[in-house]
Every structure is written in C-alpha cells, then in structure tokens.
Amino acid sequence: TQSDLSAIPLLEIEVGIKVELEGEAANKENLVALRFKFPKGYPEDSAAIVSIFTAALNRSLREEVSARLNEISKGLMGQEVVMALLEEAKVTFPDFIAMQRNSSEKESDTTNASSSIDDKPTFGRRWLWVHHIKDSDRRKSIISEANGFHLGGYLKFGYPGVIIVEGKSKDCDEFVAWVKGNKSRPGGFGRNWGHHV
C-alpha cells in the first residue's frame, strides 16, 4: 500500500571499481566510486540516480560522466541497472581520461606559446598558515627573504602564524619553496615547516 512505501528509506550504495588505462598509463589503475541512489519505485517507476567520484577527472568531466550514466539509467527504467552502469563506466572512463589529458596538453601548449610571446610577469599572492611563528630570528629571516624577492605582504607571528606575500608570481613561488625548504639550506625550515617556524 501507499503508506508502506513512505516507510521505506532511500537506498544508497557506493561501488568502487578499478579502471585500467591503455598506453602510457597501462600500469596505473584508477579508482572510481559510483554512488547509486534508488528512489521509491525503483526499478519499475523510477530510475537509479548515479554520481561518480574520482580524483582522476576534473569536476566538469565527472559531471559529464555522471550525466551520461544517468541518461542510460533513465533509458533502462524498469530493469536493474547497476551492473550495466558499472560496465559502462569501465568502458567510458578511459575515454574521459584521454579527453582530460588532451585538454591539459592543449592548455600547456597555449600557455607555453603565450608565455614566449608575452613574458610580462604575473601578479601572485600566497597565503601560508603555520602552527606558530615564535622565534624572532625566524621572523627576521622571513621578512628579509621576502624583501630579497621584492615581495610585500604581512606576517602574523604567534599562534597560529600566517605569512602573506604578494608580488611577481614566480617570486612568490620561490619564496614558498624557500619557506618549505630543507633545514640544511640557509634559513630553510625543514619538512615540518607547517608546525615549526
């Protein structure tokens, strides 16, 4: 009866699959999690709702894969779809990885081409949070190093410590590398830089 259906909770499952990629990444496996939601009336009256989760794809491609799987789910309404959708994910996932790689390569080529044409420095800003900055010599060396890179910014010492620098993006990156540098480098804070500055 209708009142019995309202007492049924929404069923959700998550299934992880490993997808092997061909070509250069033949030895790598990518874990993909598919989350299925089965609304009331599934499978006869409602289609399963599918979401895909993976670090191997950017957000827009994850949404595109999810949309494709949901269209298939709607087309198969009236029958169980989990295995069919898992198989479809295994088949389409490598194509989407290839799309992302091609897109990344084109962006890289465009970036390289534009940087060779126009070498204007870009403005950058970096925020670093550290557990604490107590040592006065460390504070002085942070300020001195930032000045050496021609960076402006802000230093909050104490608990927590905050370092904000801005200037040329490349200089900001080099400053961050210096802060994170190993202790054998002059002024470097070591691998525990996030805690002991």
Side-chain angles (χ1 to χ4, degrees):
T1 65
Q2 195 69 330
S3 63
D4 293 338
L5 285 178
S6 65
I8 299 173
L10 179 68
L11 177 63
E12 292 184 32
I13 62 168
E14 188 170 304
V15 179
I17 58 172
K18 289 182 180 178
V19 180
E20 292 186 23
L21 303 176
E22 295 177 21
E24 68 184 51
N27 295 328
K28 293 183 181 177
E29 292 182 332
N30 292 286
L31 183 63
V32 182
L34 285 94
R35 185 172 297 152
F36 296 91
K37 293 182 182 181
F38 304 105
K40 294 175 187 172
Y42 171 81
E44 289 82 19
D45 302 322
S46 301
I49 302 165
V50 186
S51 301
I52 187 169
F53 300 91
T54 180
L57 292 177
N58 64 35
R59 182 178 177 179
S60 64
L61 288 177
R62 286 192 310 263
E63 289 172 356
E64 193 173 332
V65 173
S66 294
R68 179 184 283 190
L69 294 174
N70 280 308
E71 285 299 315
I72 293 169
S73 178
K74 287 177 186 173
L76 296 173
M77 194 164 59
Q79 53 187 312
E80 292 290 332
V81 297
V82 174
M83 294 308 290
L85 294 175
L86 289 172
E87 254 336 285
E88 181 65 23
K90 282 185 177 181
V91 170
T92 60
F93 187 72
D95 296 337
F96 279 90
I97 288 287
M99 277 176 31
Q100 180 165 305
R101 284 188 184 155
N102 290 339
S103 173
S104 297
E105 288 171 5
K106 286 179 186 174
E107 286 176 15
S108 175
D109 291 345
T110 304
T111 303
N112 291 341
S114 66
S115 67
S116 63
I117 294 169
D118 185 13
D119 283 337
K120 290 182 184 175
T122 57
F123 179 80
R125 181 176 294 134
R126 304 295 182 270
W127 293 62
L128 296 139
W129 175 91
V130 293
H131 184 267
H132 62 269
I133 302 173
K134 299 187 306 183
D135 188 333
S136 62
D137 289 335
R138 296 282 185 171
R139 285 186 273 174
K140 289 176 186 174
S141 67
I142 289 170
I143 293 168
S144 173
E145 194 70 20
N147 289 335
F149 283 112
H150 307 290
L151 299 173
Y154 175 77
L155 171 64
K156 181 205 171 281
F157 55 91
Y159 294 90
V162 178
I163 304 168
I164 304 169
V165 292
E166 57 183 26
K168 291 180 184 175
S169 188
K170 181 182 175 209
D171 292 339
C172 289
D173 292 338
E174 289 180 23
F175 175 80
V176 170
W178 173 80
V179 171
K180 291 182 177 181
N182 102 28
K183 283 190 178 185
S184 64
R185 288 177 46 194
F189 298 125
R191 68 181 174 84
N192 292 326
W193 73 275
H195 186 79
H196 300 102
V197 175

